[in-house]
Amino acid sequence: MIDRYPRTTHERERTLARLDPATRTRIEAAALDLFSEREFHRVKLINIAREARISLQTLYKYYGSKEAVLFASLDTWLGDLATRMIDHLQGIENFEDRLRKVFWVLFDYFERNPKVAQIILSSVYLSTWRDDDTFRQPALMSVFLGVINDGRERGVLTNEVDEIEISDFIWGVANRMVAMWLLRGRKKPLAEKAPAMFNMVWRAIASEAVLAEQLSERYAQSAQPREKASVAG
């Protein structure tokens, strides 16, 4: 038995590497169901053990606490999100399209995994998660911030704020949209809103030069039909 739960991803993964993968999968499935249905303080380790069909001693041996179960599970789930982002960004050269794809992947992932969204919004105590290494999500945030940094270096994104603040803005919009989608009963597909919401976000974070260029291009395109009609007349 361990006397405290691991606080770093490396520390935790070193411990969990000795756990049977199928057992870990059952534990994470149990955590997904229980923490998405109940508030954190209402879930006990014994509940997770029973749901996963393992002994309480096994949970203590490899995790040590329900916080460790939750945070290790979040590592797995958000790691899947990072992998999806990387896969979807392959072959996309245009920066705006890359960022649009990142935004869409966020919406699509949480639409496909509403229980993960529910856990992040209602069962995770940020003050506790912040003290754990998994809060920083290096794999996910390296992809996310990498795209934003690329945009700033190209002069595509605003320089009025830094990349962290741009990231916070995008996550803030996404979190609010996901939260209200859950609260309203998931009646409409979440990912369908991604294109329109991204256009709003883009107008807020793109540089003035890029926005002016895009406005000029749209004006030129809209003027062409009028010019053709005038010539034909």
Side-chain angles (χ1 to χ4, degrees), residues 107-193:
F107 278 55
D108 181 68
Y109 176 82
F110 288 119
E111 181 177 332
R112 294 171 183 268
N113 300 275
K115 291 183 178 181
V116 176
Q118 186 66 55
I119 287 172
I120 293 173
L121 291 168
S122 64
S123 195
V124 172
Y125 296 154
L126 289 180
S127 59
T128 304
W129 193 19
R130 184 182 56 199
D131 293 334
D132 190 273
D133 187 58
T134 60
F135 177 75
R136 283 164 281 282
Q137 287 299 312
L140 176 58
M141 292 311 298
S142 65
V143 176
F144 200 77
L145 290 175
V147 174
I148 294 174
N149 280 327
D150 181 42
R152 283 171 57 81
E153 289 175 359
R154 296 188 190 187
V156 177
L157 297 182
T158 179
N159 60 6
E160 294 179 353
V161 294
D162 63 27
E163 62 273 13
I164 298 297
E165 291 164 324
I166 293 174
S167 171
D168 289 343
F169 179 80
I170 295 172
W171 277 104
V173 172
N175 285 346
R176 176 67 178 181
M177 290 297 297
V178 173
M180 297 313 298
W181 174 70
L182 289 171
L183 288 173
R184 290 166 180 153
R186 295 185 280 156
K187 295 179 181 179
K188 297 180 180 180
L190 180 62
E192 282 186 3
K193 296 292 184 181

Side-chain angles (χ1 to χ4, degrees), residues 51-153:
E51 186 78 12
R53 305 186 308 280
I54 61 173
S55 68
L56 185 58
Q57 288 75 15
T58 297
L59 274 184
Y60 272 123
K61 178 180 179 181
Y62 291 100
Y63 293 89
S65 72
K66 65 179 181 180
E67 286 90 349
V69 175
L70 178 55
F71 297 154
S73 299
L74 282 168
D75 243 7
T76 297
W77 303 327
L78 295 180
D80 290 341
L81 172 56
T83 299
R84 290 200 65 206
M85 278 190 183
I86 293 171
D87 289 343
H88 278 279
L89 288 174
Q90 298 300 315
I92 302 177
E93 297 296 334
N94 179 274
F95 175 78
E96 183 180 351
D97 290 340
R98 285 173 64 81
L99 194 56
R100 178 182 287 106
K101 179 61 72 171
V102 166
F103 197 75
W104 178 85
V105 169
L106 280 177
F107 278 55
D108 181 68
Y109 176 82
F110 288 119
E111 181 177 332
R112 294 171 183 268
N113 300 275
K115 291 183 178 181
V116 176
Q118 186 66 55
I119 287 172
I120 293 173
L121 291 168
S122 64
S123 195
V124 172
Y125 296 154
L126 289 180
S127 59
T128 304
W129 193 19
R130 184 182 56 199
D131 293 334
D132 190 273
D133 187 58
T134 60
F135 177 75
R136 283 164 281 282
Q137 287 299 312
L140 176 58
M141 292 311 298
S142 65
V143 176
F144 200 77
L145 290 175
V147 174
I148 294 174
N149 280 327
D150 181 42
R152 283 171 57 81
E153 289 175 359

